[in-house]
């Protein structure tokens, strides 16, 4: 598990949501994490040191000094941690954190921390939406901290709205995701990716074209994720509203399949990994009218010719490159994807089916299966950013073989 062996410092402040922290500690410990709990003096009104210590298997500290006069070093606690989780984080504790009001062990430890800090706010709904709270959360984010947003539901006051601390499972998943990303960070340093994205538009006349519904979201997510992991990325996109500002991504805009083919092979010999996620039009009009075609006849016949197969050409010219293709299918999905893997000389192929709700064009989510010549791996429906992480994790695993 990704949290196994990690040192997690949990800071508990004085809110009713503190009772949930027992479940979070239990889950971290069960998965092999080393957990240390500290708490504000007010937190002791809601949970006991004994219960938290029993679950974490460590003494719990709420003061600078122990009963026998020893110093509970906030410096050592801060330097020990791989990550610090403040949960629940009350409005009072949040304000002290961002304004440096260091009057307890939790704030002193926080101000000494060099590790990432994750904040799970919890308060009544009017407090949560108050301008001062919003400003303090913005300040915390500007410090580089991760905010785990409060959830909506019934609050201790009896009101219903946003302010509930995120569930322990949600906080756990955020921490686990952080360590997963840390595991894969910079693993593509020194590698160059070429990624195709979006649709192609094949002109009929100066006004009309043949195209498809691809938004380019999947390809752009892949480009951003590869860049985060240290890669140099060449992104060749058909018409798409998506944008990227990462300096490690060079974006080239094209319109037609022929333009995309030409641009791909400007760079192909120099790349390490190619990912063809573009939805390239299979056919284009044989002739393009120079003027707009007038609506004179009941029927219009357009003769289509086959476009160049960009992915097949990449496979034929492959030397050292690791090549990834995509297959969007509506029937015989797995059979067609495996056929494409073999025919186009790919190292792996990503299958998504239009039969799966939430997958395919324009959606912010996708559901995929990955095939190699010997493996098949299935994934649940996820955001396209998370799908990009899954795909690149798989690419990484293949390159390490």
């Amino acid at each position: 598990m990704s949290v196994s062996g990690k040192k997690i410092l949990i800071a508990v402040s004085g809110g009713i949501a503190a009772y949930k922290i027992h479940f979070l500690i239990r889950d971290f410990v069960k998965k092999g994490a080393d957990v240390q709990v500290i708490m504000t003096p007010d937190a002791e009104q809601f949970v006991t040191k004994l219960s938290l210590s029993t679950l974490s298997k460590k003494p719990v500290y709420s003061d600078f000094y122990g009963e026998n006069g020893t110093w509970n070093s906030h410096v050592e606690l801060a330097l020990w941690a791989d990550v610090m989780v403040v949960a629940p984080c009350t409005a009072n504790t949040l304000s002290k954190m961002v304004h440096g009001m260091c009057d307890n062990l939790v704030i002193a430890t926080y101000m000494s921390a060099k590790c990432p800090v994750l904040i799970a706010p919890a308060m009544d709904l009017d407090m949560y939406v108050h301008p001062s709270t919003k400003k303090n959360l913005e300040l915390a984010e500007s410090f580089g901290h991760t905010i785990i947003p409060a959830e909506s539901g019934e609050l201790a006051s009896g009101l219903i709205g946003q302010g509930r601390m995120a569930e322990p499972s949600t906080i756990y998943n955020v921490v686990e995701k952080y360590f997963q990303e840390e595991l894969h960070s910079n693993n593509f340093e020194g590698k160059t990716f070429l990624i195709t994205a979006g649709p192609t538009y094949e002109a009929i006349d100066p006004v009309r074209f043949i195209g498809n519904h691809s938004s380019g979201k999947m390809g752009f997510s892949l480009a951003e994720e590869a860049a985060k992991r240290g890669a140099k990325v060449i992104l060749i996109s058909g018409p798409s509203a998506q944008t990227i500002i990462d300096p490690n991504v060079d974006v080239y805009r094209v319109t037609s399949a022929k333009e995309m083919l030409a641009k791909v092979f400007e760079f192909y010999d120099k790349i390490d990994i190619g990912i063809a996620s573009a939805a390239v039009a299979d056919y284009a009009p044989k002739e393009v009218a120079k003027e707009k075609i007038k609506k004179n006849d009941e029927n219009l016949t357009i003769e289509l010719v086959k476009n160049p197969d960009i992915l097949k050409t990449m496979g034929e010219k492959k030397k050292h490159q690791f090549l990834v293709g995509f297959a969007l299918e509506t029937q015989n999905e797995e059979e067609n994807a495996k056929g494409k893997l073999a025919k186009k000389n790919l190292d792996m192929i990503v299958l998504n089916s239009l039969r799966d709700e939430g997958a395919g064009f324009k959606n912010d989510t996708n559901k995929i299966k990955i095939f190699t010549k010997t493996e098949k791996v299935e994934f649940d429906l996820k955001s396209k950013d998370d799908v990009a992480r899954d795909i690149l994790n798989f690419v990484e695993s293949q390159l390490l073989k």
Side-chain angles (χ1 to χ4, degrees), residues 131-146:
S132 63
T133 303
K134 288 184 175 181
K135 184 66 176 176
N136 287 340
L137 288 170
E138 289 172 4
L139 276 172
E141 282 191 304
S142 74
F143 295 168
H145 305 332
T146 297

Side-chain angles (χ1 to χ4, degrees), residues 99-393:
H99 295 291
M101 297 178 63
C102 187
D103 64 352
N104 64 47
L105 180 66
V106 165
I107 304 301
T109 304
Y110 158 73
M111 294 185 69
S112 301
K114 292 181 171 59
C115 63
V117 177
L118 284 66
I119 298 170
M123 58 199 77
D124 210 68
L125 63 91
D126 293 320
M127 297 172 68
Y128 190 68
V129 299
H130 194 278
S132 63
T133 303
K134 288 184 175 181
K135 184 66 176 176
N136 287 340
L137 288 170
E138 289 172 4
L139 276 172
E141 282 191 304
S142 74
F143 295 168
H145 305 332
T146 297
I147 308 300
I148 307 172
E151 299 175 357
S152 294
E154 186 174 354
L155 305 170
S157 64
L159 298 175
I160 296 175
Q162 191 173 15
R164 289 169 60 98
M165 186 181 81
E167 290 301 312
S169 59
T170 300
I171 299 172
Y172 177 91
N173 288 338
V174 172
V175 175
E176 183 179 53
K177 185 176 179 180
Y178 162 74
F179 286 123
Q180 287 174 340
E181 291 178 354
E182 180 189 54
L183 177 67
H184 295 286
S185 64
N186 297 323
N187 282 5
F188 289 123
E189 193 166 355
K191 301 290 186 184
T192 300
F193 278 69
L194 186 149
I195 298 172
T196 65
T200 65
Y201 289 173
E202 312 300 331
I204 297 171
D205 62 21
V207 177
R208 304 176 181 90
F209 61 85
I210 295 172
N212 57 59
H213 296 296
S214 174
S215 65
K217 290 177 182 177
M218 191 69 254
F220 277 72
S221 291
L222 284 162
E224 288 185 335
E225 183 62 24
K228 285 179 185 176
R229 301 186 186 204
K232 174 68 177 173
V233 182
I234 298 161
L235 176 63
I236 302 171
S237 174
S240 171
Q242 305 301 309
T243 58
I244 284 183
I245 59 173
D246 194 306
N248 286 321
V249 181
D250 293 332
V251 183
Y252 297 88
R253 303 279 182 174
V254 298
T255 301
S256 69
K258 289 182 179 178
E259 290 172 352
M260 183 172 283
L261 176 73
K263 188 59 70 174
V264 164
F265 284 97
E266 279 186 31
F267 304 103
Y268 192 60
D269 288 342
K270 299 177 181 178
I271 68 162
D272 302 292
I273 296 132
I275 303 180
S277 70
V280 181
D282 293 323
Y283 293 90
K286 183 175 182 179
E287 294 183 6
V288 179
K290 293 181 180 178
E291 304 294 339
K292 179 183 175 184
I293 300 171
K294 293 297 184 180
K295 188 172 61 176
N296 295 323
D297 300 322
E298 289 297 321
N299 299 303
L300 175 64
T301 302
I302 300 173
E303 186 177 356
L304 302 178
V305 294
K306 210 168 191 180
N307 263 330
D309 190 325
I310 298 174
L311 184 55
K312 183 179 180 183
T313 309
M314 292 169 76
E316 289 170 350
K317 295 181 183 260
K318 185 173 73 170
K319 296 176 183 175
H320 59 278
Q321 298 91 345
F322 184 91
L323 191 54
V324 181
F326 272 69
L328 178 62
E329 303 291 343
T330 59
Q331 57 184 346
N332 300 323
E333 291 97 337
E334 294 193 12
E335 181 182 341
N336 289 335
K338 291 175 184 177
K340 192 173 182 180
L341 175 74
K343 290 175 186 175
K344 302 197 178 185
N345 193 27
L346 308 180
D347 295 289
M348 61 178 264
I349 192 162
V350 180
L351 168 65
N352 39 151
S353 169
L354 286 181
R355 293 172 182 266
D356 291 325
E357 187 176 351
F361 292 152
K362 290 188 176 180
N363 291 307
D364 292 324
T365 55
N366 206 356
K367 184 177 181 181
I368 65 167
K369 298 176 184 177
I370 294 178
F371 295 90
T372 68
K373 291 174 183 176
T374 59
E375 296 177 79
K376 169 188 168 183
V377 183
E378 297 187 43
F379 297 87
D380 294 329
L381 184 72
K382 299 182 181 182
S383 73
K384 286 186 174 175
D385 288 342
D386 285 337
V387 171
R389 282 187 271 273
D390 288 337
I391 291 170
L392 292 186
N393 288 348

